[in-house]
Amino acid sequence: MINTGKLAGRTLFITGASRGIGKEIALKAARDGANIVVAAKTAEPHPKLPGTIYSAAEEIEKAGGRAHPCIVDVRDEVQVRTAIQEAVAKFGGIDIVVNNASAISLTNTPNTDMKRYDLMHNINTRGTFLVSKECLPYLKKSNHAHILNISPPLSMLPKWFGPHVAYTMAKYGMSMCVLGMAEELKGDGIAVNALWPRTAILTAAIEMLTGAESAQWSRKPEIMADAAYAILSREPKQFTGQFFVDDEVLEAAGIKDLKQYACVPENADNLMVDFFVEAKGATAPTAAPAGAGASTPTTGSDNGKIPQLFQKIESLLSPEIVSKTQAVFQFNISGAEEGIWYLDLKNGTGSCGSGTPPTTPDSTLTMNSNNFFDMFSGKLKAAPAYMTGKLKISGDFQKALKLEKLMKALKSKL
């Protein structure tokens, strides 16, 4: 998307702007000559994550904007207020707030400790509310006031809650801020909207969740930056309370070819759909009561393709594989070959078979038997399967993704 200059001289307060989507939105606005408050925690280089508030500020100024880096933990009221006061003192006001800072933990209820629960809710929901609240006096003085939350459309489908209810609640809290504040502030001429990606976006967070190969099925953060720019360039009184999806925003703006945003253009038609949205053109299923249609798996029979598959796996097990993996997996399979199976890659030389594992599983994977075969044959990757609801994971998420590396190594032999 070509810059139009509509954000020239505007001041944007962006949380989590030291890297990823937040930084890309900042750089896009900077090319118009906007003022950017880089509000993030990272002041010193992180051993695993790229970027600091200072390196981001340097990039912003090279792009043509003015930057003010602020050390801000959105959970800290004093830090938030101080950063806002500094922004107003330096730039004369605040026109736009982008609530991008977020925490994620894709764990089920038993595996979500309360420290992690509090972190997600305090950053995602409370942080969004706090930053928006403290910026309101200045937004009300602006003639181009926007609040944009990087949060998903609200959907009550159980599939978005079951695997990671704590994270969904925290993320939906940001979206509920949109719903409530849009109604509350429409008389003040402040647009309050949400933006969410259709597909996985290649950021440090997605790489930590799904591994180095995540680029294969992700889009670049620039698609979110361009979509945010299109939203924030519009007159705020014309729309509010909307839950935008990036590709729809760009298509409405006349950008039809989205292949440019794919990290790997050859895979532009095979991208991983993000949480909380359906694939492009798909119709969302009607919400069903939680647990509807659920059945209790039984132990697997000796007939069928699954027993044959596990026999092959067993013949390939070795101390080296056990040493590299160090995890016990349980598979709850539904469909034509319903049953429970296990793969122990933690003890001895490894073992597998029908029924529950001899020791407590580190990760339990639940899926349809067809998806199970596709995953072990390499046709279906674990991370995209999880994000599209074809695979449910309970327990240690990272160890579950280790299984994909194992399957890749064994693929030619299975």
Side-chain angles (χ1 to χ4, degrees):
M1 175 173 285
I2 298 172
N3 279 66
T4 61
K6 289 185 178 179
L7 299 184
R10 299 294 183 184
T11 298
L12 289 77
F13 190 101
I14 307 178
T15 66
S18 61
R19 62 177 66 94
I21 291 170
K23 189 182 79 171
E24 288 302 324
I25 293 174
L27 290 171
K28 184 68 178 178
R31 295 183 189 107
D32 267 6
N35 308 315
I36 312 294
V37 182
V38 184
K41 291 193 301 179
T42 309
E44 300 293 331
H46 190 282
K48 294 183 179 179
L49 302 174
T52 68
I53 57 173
Y54 304 112
S55 63
E58 184 178 352
E59 288 184 58
I60 287 164
E61 297 197 337
K62 285 181 179 178
R66 297 172 66 199
H68 181 58
C70 295
I71 301 173
V72 176
D73 182 338
V74 295
R75 297 170 293 177
D76 189 317
E77 292 179 53
V78 173
Q79 288 188 10
V80 169
R81 291 192 185 109
T82 299
I84 291 170
Q85 290 165 7
E86 289 179 6
V88 172
K90 182 166 184 174
F91 299 128
I94 294 174
D95 301 292
I96 296 168
V97 172
V98 179
N99 288 303
N100 168 69
S102 186
I104 183 171
S105 180
L106 300 175
T107 48
N108 62 8
T109 301
N111 290 292
T112 304
D113 61 70
M114 294 315 295
K115 183 178 180 181
R116 178 62 60 175
Y117 178 96
D118 290 341
L119 178 72
M120 289 191 288
H121 282 259
N122 286 337
I123 291 177
N124 300 5
T125 304
R126 185 180 183 276
T128 294
F129 184 91
L130 171 62
V131 170
S132 302
K133 174 181 181 292
E134 295 298 325
C135 286
L136 275 182
Y138 308 102
L139 292 172
K140 289 179 179 180
K141 295 177 183 178
S142 172
N143 63 0
H144 193 80
H146 285 267
I147 297 174
L148 182 65
N149 294 351
I150 307 304
S151 64
L154 290 166
S155 168
M156 293 296 106
L157 289 173
K159 70 176 183 178
W160 302 131
F161 291 84
H164 39 69
V165 64
Y167 171 65
T168 299
M169 290 165 63
K171 206 65 192 175
Y172 275 17
M174 296 176 71
S175 300
M176 292 172 75
C177 285
V178 170
L179 196 64
M181 290 182 188
E183 181 69 18
E184 177 185 355
L185 303 173
K186 63 183 179 181
D188 296 301
I190 301 172
V192 187
N193 297 288
L195 175 64
W196 193 247
R198 173 79 63 190
T199 70
I201 302 296
L202 186 63
T203 63
I206 197 73
E207 284 191 278
M208 288 179 69
L209 285 171
T210 63
E213 291 186 352
S214 54
Q216 297 291 320
W217 55 75
S218 300
R219 283 177 173 154
K220 304 170 188 175
E222 284 88 338
I223 189 171
M224 286 290 285
D226 282 359
Y229 181 81
I231 295 166
L232 298 174
S233 295
R234 294 170 63 178
E235 288 300 317
K237 292 183 180 180
Q238 293 179 356
F239 67 107
T240 191
Q242 301 297 306
F243 293 89
F244 294 107
V245 178
D246 58 358
D247 57 357
E248 293 175 353
V249 173
L250 295 179
E251 287 174 2
I255 299 175
K256 305 299 183 183
D257 182 10
L258 303 181
K259 190 174 183 179
Q260 60 181 308
Y261 296 109
C263 295
V264 180
E266 295 78 13
N267 292 344
D269 296 326
N270 297 293
L271 300 171
M272 179 165 59
V273 179
D274 205 351
F275 298 113
F276 311 120
V277 289
E278 305 296 336
K280 186 69 174 176
T283 302
T286 304
S295 61
T296 303
T298 59
T299 56
S301 69
D302 290 332
N303 299 316
K305 293 190 290 184
I306 289 183
Q308 296 175 22
L309 177 62
F310 274 98
Q311 286 173 9
K312 290 182 180 178
I313 291 173
E314 189 172 28
S315 68
L316 298 171
L317 296 182
S318 68
E320 181 184 4
I321 291 175
V322 171
S323 176
K324 287 182 177 179
T325 310
Q326 283 297 289
V328 177
F329 305 99
Q330 178 174 315
F331 303 92
N332 294 340
I333 308 299
S334 61
E337 295 197 36
E338 182 176 355
I340 298 175
W341 298 81
Y342 76 90
L343 178 58
D344 183 349
L345 299 177
K346 184 186 258 183
N347 303 294
T349 57
S351 62
C352 61
S354 175
T356 57
T359 59
T360 303
D362 295 291
S363 298
T364 299
L365 293 82
T366 302
M367 71 195 87
N368 179 277
S369 56
N370 290 332
N371 292 332
F372 179 82
F373 292 124
D374 286 346
M375 197 168 76
F376 270 86
S377 65
K379 295 179 182 177
L380 181 67
K381 293 184 179 294
Y386 178 78
M387 294 185 75
T388 55
K390 294 178 180 178
L391 166 66
K392 294 181 180 179
I393 298 173
S394 60
D396 192 315
F397 187 82
Q398 294 298 330
K399 286 189 176 180
L401 293 182
K402 276 188 175 183
L403 191 61
E404 188 167 309
K405 292 182 180 179
L406 171 67
M407 290 185 292
K408 188 175 181 180
L410 298 180
K411 181 181 175 182
S412 62
K413 300 176 183 179
L414 290 175

